[in-house]
Amino acid sequence: MKKVRVGIVGLGRLGFSHAEHLKFHIANADLVAACSVVEKEREAVRQWEVPYIFENFEDMIVSKEAALDAVVIATPSGLHCGQVAKAMDAGLHVFCEKPLGVDVAQCKIAEAAVERHPELVFMLGFMRRFDPSYAHAKELIDRGDIGKPIMIKATSMDPDSMIDSFLPFAPTSGGIFRDLAIHDIDLARWFLNGDDVVSIYAAGGCYLYPEMAEYGDVDNACAIMRFKQGGIAMFTSSRTAPHGSQIETEIIGTKGIIRVAAIPEKNLLTIYQPVGAVRECYVDFRERWAAAYLNELTAFVACVAENRKPDVTVYDGTKCTEISYAAMDALHTNQIVTLQ
Amino acid sequence: MKKVRVGIVGLGRLGFSHAEHLKFHIANADLVAACSVVEKEREAVRQWEVPYIFENFEDMIVSKEAALDAVVIATPSGLHCGQVAKAMDAGLHVFCEKPLGVDVAQCKIAEAAVERHPELVFMLGFMRRFDPSYAHAKELIDRGDIGKPIMIKATSMDPDSMIDSFLPFAPTSGGIFRDLAIHDIDLARWFLNGDDVVSIYAAGGCYLYPEMAEYGDVDNACAIMRFKQGGIAMFTSSRTAPHGSQIETEIIGTKGIIRVAAIPEKNLLTIYQPVGAVRECYVDFRERWAAAYLNELTAFVACVAENRKPDVTVYDGTKCTEISYAAMDALHTNQIVTLQ
Amino acid sequence: MKKVRVGIVGLGRLGFSHAEHLKFHIANADLVAACSVVEKEREAVRQWEVPYIFENFEDMIVSKEAALDAVVIATPSGLHCGQVAKAMDAGLHVFCEKPLGVDVAQCKIAEAAVERHPELVFMLGFMRRFDPSYAHAKELIDRGDIGKPIMIKATSMDPDSMIDSFLPFAPTSGGIFRDLAIHDIDLARWFLNGDDVVSIYAAGGCYLYPEMAEYGDVDNACAIMRFKQGGIAMFTSSRTAPHGSQIETEIIGTKGIIRVAAIPEKNLLTIYQPVGAVRECYVDFRERWAAAYLNELTAFVACVAENRKPDVTVYDGTKCTEISYAAMDALHTNQIVTLQ
Amino acid sequence: MKKVRVGIVGLGRLGFSHAEHLKFHIANADLVAACSVVEKEREAVRQWEVPYIFENFEDMIVSKEAALDAVVIATPSGLHCGQVAKAMDAGLHVFCEKPLGVDVAQCKIAEAAVERHPELVFMLGFMRRFDPSYAHAKELIDRGDIGKPIMIKATSMDPDSMIDSFLPFAPTSGGIFRDLAIHDIDLARWFLNGDDVVSIYAAGGCYLYPEMAEYGDVDNACAIMRFKQGGIAMFTSSRTAPHGSQIETEIIGTKGIIRVAAIPEKNLLTIYQPVGAVRECYVDFRERWAAAYLNELTAFVACVAENRKPDVTVYDGTKCTEISYAAMDALHTNQIVTLQ
């Protein structure tokens, strides 16, 4: 069994976690190279004796010594699509973090690269699909347990306690739907069998952080999207969840309903206290998605090793970016936005 | 303690249940009269030795023998407002089932009557406010436990298994928002301190019962409403819940979130079966609201006895009717409807 | 429909609640008499215009004016059996609060009275059987949903916050099994089809209140009971529940398991707070059993009116008293106690 | 970072899973040797290119080529203690599956080996302590969240659907308490700070599988154990759970109660079906303890690498074996068994 030789670019919070998974937890991956513009980040992986360390992405992908099979891209969103194209043109399989690009024009660059290289694996990091609960929901739906899915209700709430780490990024985040709801949008399309959105309405407000209005964002929002084949999705996005992170999804079918994480349970404990019977909640997205992050990279490496294509395509990335922008438009104009 | 002498008009399913409560379970009410155009229904209450039985509403309210203090109106919706006006003009306190009227014009007739008779008690049957769970939620909100409420998510789903009893009434029901969501609309306004809706968007479809399209209705719908002071409410209404009746409400505040009946638990049982750990659900609205129906009439009778005004006003009825019509408009036109 | 003329003796906390139910909430009962040795208690019911008020139990049961059909006994436990005998000998139907008597000898007096008067209704206040959740559990078991019940796990925990109201009665309470577990014992026998206990082991301790050791009691205890036909029951009894009252019962069958009130949910609310997702708990036994207390008296009155015998018999009372004493013996001696 | 060179003996279901973890998921372990008497099992790991494969345990532990640091023992229980002694005498760190030995005499052999080699790491496979939920419970208890723990209620139920795979081993399993409750016994001691059991009572029966009586076992049992410092533990063990595997533990403290897995939730899904709101359950112990099995081996390897001693000691193994035998005695004799 030949191991897949992987390089990673971007070693921030998420990139570093991907690097750890590749180095320590994925048997048929060999993390042979890592790249970051930040010396401290390079030093961190140097400790693990990763053989080739780069400051420059272009150097890494063409390095004869590193001789990469694949690259994992975890750089700032604005760089994704260009790096996707370069890596694929250098003959590498690519795993790219979400969002695909910051606008549709960028996404098209990535699409073109993927189309130029049908021989290569490209996978986008919509990791929720690899969470055991969501994967199980999809399985139940696909085998018909809830009949035909007709309505999706998706909620993504970041805890108010994390607002301080978000606010510095708020001006460049692209807004609540692009930054926060994009996973929900992907899930809605996934559960509705890849159907397309035809119109969007959205509403929201700056309830706790009026300063967010300055850069055209809100701290709480909701949206209704109509799909081509008649399905409907409702979204709730919030930066100010009082109790912790909450990611909840409901799929209403003609014969059954599935709800994922109505209570964002941390583990199997119930604590009986004077306040009542308490289910503790997971504290943030890393705790919630620990398994999903590992599973998605494992799946990517397996796709490369076995020369299979993943289910998440580059087009999923473009669509979700397009939809999230339309939702921001609807929010700003208080109008229904139509997609073709 | 003088008992309140009550007459009831309308002895259908709900009216009969109100009559039972008045006769058997409310100590300071004396059910002295009942009125129905259906002989079988009159016969049913005659068994209980209710002294005065009428075929004609006007006869009942002026009857010297019956000498009513108050009347409970549970007739078809189209008759409500006229009967409210007549009863109040005859000097009687009035409890009227929801909806107040089938259109805003009718509601205005009732409003005028209430305004003509400030000395009389008028109460509308928004019984959910009297459900112990909702009442407790309101209490927690009012004492500030969840900070300022900013978003309401309300779901009312009737079980698909009841569709046969609904379809005959579908043509005259007024549509899914007026018939089904009206309680949710009342709750949203209640939890948002009576704030007014300024704009509405709605979407829906006939997923299981295409025949409903003929009379301009849908079997599943959702809506977003923006309120004057910035609050937002999202509604989901369905005629086709696969698992039973589900009435769920979430109130998202700046400091906490309350959810009512995320699982429509029938009672305190958990049944461990091969299928999993099962919480049985209540079968229909009568099981769900048994306590609420009794509590609301008890509250009405107490208001009459103690000469107090109830919290639910005639204007709540008009507003909810108005909003539910606007929501149907939004649904039909796929446009945002603005209210002033 | 002739109303059942009822008198009540004992107007303490529970007796007063029974009186309220008879007066205001049970249609075919007529509360015509009440008896208490405490003037303040008599005064309370006098307000309701109960026509005949007595200081002396014997006077009430023979009163020609009161002309009682039935009597409800809610006096201190030591008086129950003597009053049962006197009332039945006076030709009255009897509802008696639990426990039947404070020892088996007393119970035999009540048994003899019931046997002397097969024409009269006698019912013991094991109200849990009338709780909607327990009644539903029994229904499911009886129709075979969980196969043959083989193990019962029963927990009754009083909140530590109520300890101050308990401690004064501790010396005369009869001990934790007789005072607290007696309902659990009744339920275990009920779910095991009235089977008899053959041996008992128990253990416990004074963990928070060492002073309880002085009168031979403990603040927390558990017991295992073996039944004649092979079934087993495990009991946990506590005076020191940190979070509120908890009454939980599990019935393990060969084909399914039913658990009642694993979380002592107050209502249908879930509150999302920084501490986690909270289900509030009922505060005390009155909140938990509000419906059960009303239902049991309603059932008693219906039995009298329709000349039917209730399922709860005088022998259930004797058995449970006997078993609870044996459990206290096992606890004190650290030995297995055998019953014949 | 030097990797720990590990050999494994025993490649049955559990041993193979340990081998997989060492090979693929634990970064600083190097699985260099494997040993089994079964050719098919050796072949399986040979596929992974494990360099040294043995038929004979003694050969493996002294092999100069393998040059092991540590050995993982997953052979039949009767072999454990002898292999522990041999491996430690050969200078190897040892991880040994539970139970330590099939009787106390065997356990003493392992204890002596551990005492002879204070320089070596010995760890026993009580993997539940490494489950995230149990580990979190222990953390909360240790920081005082529930005050002083006074009562433990532990339930281990194997699904009836697995009975066919159990029955062949039933004659040699050592009985329900030794085979099934031993983890619960370990947890009870752990949560009660390692306190010792002073007396035991047990009861049980062959409710579904009378044939188990032949080898002195039962299919359902319960026990009460008293601890030296006054704590009490109650155990329920079953081979016939109708709904799946259930491992539930309750820790009752003076200031709070923690319950682990009251519902054996498979994941975060709630499925709303006509039968009710369903939480699916994990299907067997491998699904339940997937994380725990990985975590315990990871912890063992870290202990070896960092020269630390694990919390689980050889004496924990002896104690649990001793207690489980005493519980079987109590069950057979219907007497209280005292431990010194």
Side-chain angles (χ1 to χ4, degrees):
Chain A
M1 190 180 55
K2 195 184 151 297
K3 293 198 174 192
V4 176
R5 296 175 67 87
V6 186
I8 185 164
V9 61
L11 293 168
R13 201 165 54 173
L14 198 49
F16 187 78
S17 159
H18 285 325
E20 273 185 306
H21 285 152
L22 291 165
K23 175 70 187 170
F24 298 114
H25 301 294
I26 300 176
N28 55 345
D30 199 353
L31 182 67
V32 291
C35 173
S36 169
V37 294
V38 182
E39 165 55 21
K40 216 174 68 176
E41 293 178 358
R42 292 195 300 272
E43 182 52 28
V45 292
R46 203 173 277 133
Q47 305 277 344
W48 301 339
E49 302 170 12
V50 172
Y52 306 101
I53 309 282
F54 298 89
E55 271 190 73
N56 184 287
F57 177 67
E58 285 75 12
D59 294 346
M60 178 171 78
I61 58 177
V62 300
S63 160
K64 290 260 163 57
E65 294 78 15
L68 296 182
D69 297 313
V71 72
V72 168
I73 298 174
T75 47
S77 309
L79 303 177
H80 289 177
C81 293
Q83 293 180 331
V84 167
K86 284 179 188 164
M88 298 192 87
D89 288 341
L92 304 187
H93 306 284
V94 171
F95 175 93
C96 178
E97 253 313 309
K98 72 100 202 173
L100 180 55
V102 295
D103 57 38
V104 174
Q106 285 194 351
C107 295
K108 291 293 172 189
I109 294 172
E111 283 190 7
V114 170
E115 288 169 3
R116 271 199 305 281
H117 299 287
E119 77 286 5
L120 295 174
V121 170
F122 173 83
M123 180 168 156
L124 191 64
F126 281 143
M127 89 293 180
R128 287 193 195 169
R129 300 195 190 187
F130 295 90
D131 170 68
S133 293
Y134 281 98
H136 186 54
K138 178 69 170 165
E139 221 176 273
L140 297 181
I141 293 167
D142 284 354
R143 80 174 192 213
D145 279 29
I146 63 162
K148 183 180 156 62
I150 56 180
M151 244 188 216
I152 309 291
K153 294 163 83 171
T155 299
S156 281
M157 305 182 91
D158 270 352
D160 190 35
S161 60
M162 279 173 56
I163 197 77
D164 287 335
S165 67
F166 168 71
L167 287 178
F169 299 96
T172 59
S173 82
I176 199 161
F177 289 119
R178 198 177 65 78
D179 189 56
L180 192 58
I182 199 152
H183 284 296
D184 290 322
I185 294 168
D186 178 58
L187 288 178
R189 293 182 68 247
W190 193 43
F191 289 130
L192 292 173
N193 290 309
D195 197 8
D196 286 325
V197 170
V198 290
S199 73
I200 300 178
Y201 176 69
C206 295
Y207 297 99
L208 276 85
Y209 301 97
E211 62 266 41
M212 293 180 64
E214 290 168 35
Y215 17 91
D217 205 358
V218 294
D219 56 23
N220 280 272
C222 61
I224 290 178
M225 301 192 188
R226 305 170 71 139
F227 284 75
K228 212 177 213 165
Q229 291 169 38
I232 293 177
M234 302 177 76
F235 299 87
T236 311
S237 301
S238 172
R239 300 278 183 201
T240 65
H243 65 297
S245 177
Q246 177 146 9
I247 314 292
E248 178 180 355
T249 311
E250 186 173 355
I251 307 107
I252 300 176
T254 50
K255 292 189 188 149
I257 295 174
I258 293 175
R259 200 174 292 194
V260 187
I263 291 177
E265 294 153 1
K266 181 191 195 69
N267 53 34
L268 293 166
L269 261 55
T270 307
I271 306 173
Y272 298 75
Q273 295 174 289
V275 72
V278 178
R279 290 299 298 253
E280 288 183 289
C281 300
Y282 44 78
V283 293
D284 62 18
F285 73 95
R286 279 167 300 183
E287 184 175 5
R288 173 64 184 91
W289 306 110
Y293 279 120
L294 177 53
N295 292 347
E296 68 167 358
L297 269 193
T298 304
F300 170 67
V301 171
C303 279
V304 172
E306 299 160 21
N307 202 19
R308 285 186 289 106
K309 289 290 164 81
D311 290 336
V312 195
T313 72
V314 71
Y315 307 106
D316 291 327
T318 308
K319 284 281 183 198
C320 291
T321 299
E322 197 179 353
I323 292 167
S324 66
Y325 270 94
M328 288 307 297
D329 274 0
L331 180 67
H332 289 138
T333 60
N334 194 25
Q335 293 299 327
I336 296 156
V337 173
T338 307
L339 296 170
Q340 58 285 71
Chain B
M1 190 179 54
K2 194 185 153 293
K3 293 200 174 191
V4 175
R5 298 175 67 88
V6 186
I8 185 164
V9 62
L11 293 168
R13 201 166 52 174
L14 198 50
F16 188 77
S17 159
H18 285 324
E20 272 185 306
H21 285 151
L22 291 165
K23 175 70 187 168
F24 299 115
H25 300 294
I26 300 176
N28 55 345
D30 199 354
L31 182 66
V32 291
C35 172
S36 169
V37 294
V38 183
E39 165 55 20
K40 216 174 70 178
E41 293 177 0
R42 292 194 300 271
E43 182 52 26
V45 293
R46 202 172 277 133
Q47 305 277 343
W48 302 339
E49 302 171 13
V50 172
Y52 306 100
I53 310 282
F54 298 88
E55 271 190 74
N56 185 286
F57 176 69
E58 286 74 12
D59 292 348
M60 178 172 78
I61 56 177
V62 300
S63 160
K64 291 260 165 58
E65 294 78 14
L68 295 183
D69 297 311
V71 73
V72 168
I73 298 175
T75 47
S77 309
L79 303 178
H80 289 176
C81 293
Q83 293 180 331
V84 167
K86 283 180 189 164
M88 296 190 88
D89 288 341
L92 303 187
H93 306 284
V94 171
F95 174 94
C96 178
E97 253 314 308
K98 70 98 205 174
L100 179 56
V102 295
D103 57 37
V104 174
Q106 285 193 351
C107 294
K108 293 293 174 189
I109 294 172
E111 282 190 7
V114 171
E115 288 167 4
R116 269 199 307 281
H117 298 287
E119 78 285 5
L120 294 176
V121 170
F122 173 82
M123 179 168 157
L124 192 64
F126 282 142
M127 88 293 181
R128 287 193 195 170
R129 302 194 189 187
F130 296 90
D131 171 67
S133 294
Y134 281 97
H136 186 55
K138 177 69 171 165
E139 221 176 273
L140 297 180
I141 293 166
D142 285 353
R143 81 174 191 213
D145 278 28
I146 63 163
K148 184 181 154 64
I150 57 181
M151 243 188 217
I152 309 290
K153 294 163 84 171
T155 299
S156 282
M157 305 182 90
D158 269 353
D160 190 35
S161 60
M162 279 172 55
I163 197 76
D164 287 336
S165 68
F166 168 71
L167 286 177
F169 298 96
T172 59
S173 82
I176 197 161
F177 289 118
R178 198 176 65 77
D179 190 55
L180 193 57
I182 199 153
H183 285 295
D184 290 322
I185 294 168
D186 178 58
L187 288 178
R189 293 182 69 247
W190 194 43
F191 289 131
L192 292 172
N193 290 308
D195 197 9
D196 285 325
V197 171
V198 291
S199 73
I200 300 177
Y201 176 69
C206 295
Y207 298 98
L208 276 86
Y209 302 96
E211 63 266 41
M212 292 179 64
E214 290 169 35
Y215 17 91
D217 205 359
V218 294
D219 55 24
N220 281 272
C222 60
I224 289 178
M225 301 191 189
R226 303 169 73 139
F227 285 74
K228 212 177 213 166
Q229 292 170 36
I232 293 178
M234 302 177 75
F235 299 87
T236 310
S237 303
S238 172
R239 300 279 182 202
T240 65
H243 64 296
S245 177
Q246 178 146 7
I247 314 292
E248 178 181 356
T249 311
E250 186 174 355
I251 307 108
I252 300 176
T254 51
K255 292 191 187 145
I257 295 174
I258 292 175
R259 200 173 293 194
V260 187
I263 292 177
E265 295 153 359
K266 183 191 192 70
N267 53 33
L268 292 167
L269 261 57
T270 307
I271 307 174
Y272 298 76
Q273 294 175 290
V275 74
V278 178
R279 290 298 300 251
E280 288 184 288
C281 301
Y282 44 79
V283 293
D284 63 16
F285 73 96
R286 279 166 300 183
E287 184 175 3
R288 172 65 183 92
W289 306 110
Y293 278 121
L294 177 53
N295 292 346
E296 67 167 0
L297 269 193
T298 305
F300 169 68
V301 171
C303 280
V304 171
E306 300 160 21
N307 202 20
R308 286 187 288 106
K309 287 291 162 83
D311 290 335
V312 196
T313 71
V314 72
Y315 306 106
D316 291 325
T318 308
K319 284 282 182 197
C320 291
T321 299
E322 196 179 354
I323 293 167
S324 66
Y325 269 95
M328 288 308 295
D329 273 0
L331 180 68
H332 289 138
T333 60
N334 193 26
Q335 294 298 328
I336 296 155
V337 173
T338 307
L339 295 171
Q340 57 285 70
Chain C
M1 190 180 55
K2 195 187 151 298
K3 294 201 173 190
V4 176
R5 297 175 67 88
V6 186
I8 186 164
V9 61
L11 293 169
R13 199 166 55 173
L14 197 50
F16 188 78
S17 158
H18 285 325
E20 271 185 307
H21 285 151
L22 290 165
K23 175 69 187 170
F24 298 113
H25 301 294
I26 301 176
N28 55 347
D30 200 354
L31 182 67
V32 291
C35 172
S36 169
V37 294
V38 182
E39 165 53 22
K40 215 174 69 177
E41 293 178 359
R42 292 194 301 271
E43 182 53 27
V45 292
R46 203 173 276 134
Q47 305 278 343
W48 301 339
E49 301 170 13
V50 172
Y52 306 101
I53 309 282
F54 298 89
E55 271 189 71
N56 184 286
F57 176 68
E58 285 76 12
D59 292 348
M60 177 171 79
I61 57 178
V62 300
S63 159
K64 290 259 165 57
E65 294 78 15
L68 297 182
D69 296 312
V71 74
V72 168
I73 298 175
T75 47
S77 309
L79 303 179
H80 289 177
C81 293
Q83 293 178 333
V84 168
K86 282 180 189 165
M88 297 191 86
D89 288 342
L92 303 187
H93 305 283
V94 171
F95 174 93
C96 179
E97 253 313 308
K98 72 98 205 171
L100 180 55
V102 294
D103 57 39
V104 175
Q106 285 193 353
C107 294
K108 292 293 173 188
I109 293 171
E111 282 191 7
V114 171
E115 288 168 2
R116 270 198 307 280
H117 298 288
E119 79 285 6
L120 295 175
V121 170
F122 172 84
M123 181 169 157
L124 191 63
F126 281 143
M127 89 292 180
R128 287 193 195 170
R129 301 193 188 188
F130 295 90
D131 171 68
S133 294
Y134 280 97
H136 186 53
K138 177 69 172 165
E139 221 175 273
L140 297 181
I141 293 167
D142 285 354
R143 80 176 191 212
D145 279 28
I146 63 161
K148 184 181 155 63
I150 57 181
M151 244 188 217
I152 308 291
K153 293 163 84 171
T155 298
S156 281
M157 304 181 92
D158 269 352
D160 190 34
S161 60
M162 279 173 56
I163 196 76
D164 287 336
S165 68
F166 168 70
L167 286 178
F169 298 96
T172 57
S173 82
I176 197 161
F177 289 118
R178 196 175 67 78
D179 189 56
L180 193 57
I182 200 152
H183 284 296
D184 290 321
I185 295 168
D186 178 57
L187 288 178
R189 293 182 68 247
W190 194 42
F191 289 131
L192 293 172
N193 290 309
D195 197 9
D196 286 324
V197 171
V198 291
S199 73
I200 301 177
Y201 176 69
C206 295
Y207 298 99
L208 276 85
Y209 301 96
E211 63 267 40
M212 292 179 64
E214 289 168 36
Y215 18 90
D217 205 358
V218 294
D219 55 24
N220 280 272
C222 61
I224 290 178
M225 302 191 188
R226 304 169 73 140
F227 284 74
K228 212 177 212 165
Q229 291 170 37
I232 292 178
M234 301 176 76
F235 299 87
T236 310
S237 301
S238 171
R239 300 278 183 202
T240 66
H243 64 298
S245 177
Q246 178 145 8
I247 315 292
E248 178 180 357
T249 311
E250 186 174 357
I251 307 107
I252 301 175
T254 51
K255 291 188 187 149
I257 295 175
I258 293 175
R259 200 174 294 193
V260 187
I263 291 176
E265 295 153 359
K266 181 191 195 70
N267 53 34
L268 292 167
L269 261 57
T270 307
I271 307 174
Y272 298 75
Q273 295 174 290
V275 73
V278 178
R279 291 298 301 251
E280 288 184 290
C281 300
Y282 44 78
V283 293
D284 62 17
F285 73 95
R286 278 166 301 183
E287 184 175 4
R288 171 65 184 92
W289 306 110
Y293 278 120
L294 177 54
N295 292 347
E296 66 166 2
L297 270 193
T298 305
F300 169 68
V301 171
C303 279
V304 170
E306 299 159 23
N307 202 19
R308 286 186 290 105
K309 289 290 163 82
D311 290 336
V312 196
T313 71
V314 71
Y315 306 106
D316 290 327
T318 307
K319 285 282 183 196
C320 291
T321 300
E322 196 179 353
I323 292 167
S324 66
Y325 270 94
M328 288 308 296
D329 273 0
L331 180 68
H332 289 138
T333 60
N334 194 25
Q335 293 299 327
I336 297 156
V337 173
T338 309
L339 296 171
Q340 58 285 71
Chain D
M1 188 181 54
K2 197 186 151 294
K3 293 199 172 190
V4 176
R5 298 175 66 88
V6 186
I8 185 165
V9 60
L11 293 167
R13 201 166 55 175
L14 198 48
F16 187 78
S17 158
H18 285 325
E20 273 185 306
H21 285 153
L22 290 165
K23 176 71 187 168
F24 298 115
H25 301 294
I26 300 176
N28 56 345
D30 198 354
L31 182 67
V32 291
C35 173
S36 169
V37 294
V38 183
E39 166 53 22
K40 217 174 67 180
E41 292 178 359
R42 291 194 302 270
E43 183 52 27
V45 291
R46 203 172 276 135
Q47 306 277 344
W48 301 341
E49 302 169 13
V50 172
Y52 306 101
I53 309 281
F54 298 89
E55 271 190 72
N56 184 286
F57 176 67
E58 285 76 12
D59 293 347
M60 177 171 78
I61 56 178
V62 299
S63 161
K64 290 258 163 59
E65 294 78 14
L68 296 182
D69 297 313
V71 72
V72 168
I73 298 174
T75 48
S77 309
L79 303 178
H80 288 176
C81 294
Q83 293 179 332
V84 167
K86 282 179 189 165
M88 296 192 88
D89 287 341
L92 303 185
H93 305 285
V94 171
F95 174 93
C96 178
E97 253 313 308
K98 71 99 207 175
L100 179 56
V102 295
D103 57 38
V104 175
Q106 285 193 352
C107 294
K108 292 293 172 187
I109 293 171
E111 281 190 7
V114 171
E115 288 168 3
R116 269 199 305 283
H117 299 287
E119 78 285 7
L120 296 174
V121 170
F122 172 83
M123 180 169 157
L124 192 63
F126 281 142
M127 89 291 180
R128 286 193 196 171
R129 300 194 189 187
F130 296 90
D131 171 68
S133 294
Y134 281 98
H136 186 55
K138 177 68 172 167
E139 222 175 273
L140 297 181
I141 293 167
D142 284 354
R143 80 174 192 213
D145 279 28
I146 64 161
K148 185 181 154 62
I150 56 180
M151 244 189 216
I152 309 290
K153 294 163 83 170
T155 299
S156 281
M157 306 182 89
D158 269 352
D160 191 34
S161 60
M162 280 173 55
I163 196 76
D164 287 336
S165 68
F166 168 71
L167 286 177
F169 298 96
T172 58
S173 82
I176 197 161
F177 289 117
R178 198 175 67 77
D179 190 56
L180 192 57
I182 198 152
H183 284 296
D184 290 322
I185 295 169
D186 178 58
L187 288 178
R189 292 184 67 247
W190 194 43
F191 289 130
L192 293 173
N193 290 309
D195 197 9
D196 287 323
V197 170
V198 291
S199 74
I200 300 177
Y201 177 68
C206 295
Y207 297 99
L208 276 86
Y209 301 97
E211 63 267 40
M212 291 180 64
E214 289 170 36
Y215 17 90
D217 206 358
V218 294
D219 55 23
N220 281 273
C222 60
I224 290 177
M225 301 192 190
R226 304 169 73 138
F227 285 74
K228 212 176 211 165
Q229 290 169 36
I232 293 178
M234 302 178 75
F235 299 87
T236 310
S237 302
S238 172
R239 300 279 182 203
T240 65
H243 65 298
S245 177
Q246 178 146 8
I247 315 292
E248 178 180 357
T249 311
E250 186 173 357
I251 307 106
I252 301 176
T254 49
K255 291 190 190 148
I257 294 174
I258 293 175
R259 201 175 292 195
V260 187
I263 291 177
E265 294 153 358
K266 182 192 194 72
N267 52 36
L268 292 167
L269 261 57
T270 307
I271 307 173
Y272 298 76
Q273 295 175 289
V275 73
V278 178
R279 290 299 299 252
E280 287 184 290
C281 301
Y282 45 78
V283 294
D284 62 17
F285 73 96
R286 279 167 300 183
E287 184 176 4
R288 173 65 184 91
W289 305 111
Y293 278 121
L294 177 54
N295 292 347
E296 66 166 0
L297 269 192
T298 304
F300 170 67
V301 171
C303 280
V304 171
E306 300 159 20
N307 201 21
R308 285 187 290 104
K309 289 292 164 81
D311 289 336
V312 195
T313 71
V314 71
Y315 306 106
D316 290 327
T318 309
K319 284 282 183 195
C320 291
T321 300
E322 197 180 352
I323 292 167
S324 66
Y325 270 94
M328 288 308 296
D329 274 1
L331 180 67
H332 290 139
T333 60
N334 195 24
Q335 294 298 329
I336 297 156
V337 173
T338 307
L339 296 171
Q340 56 286 73

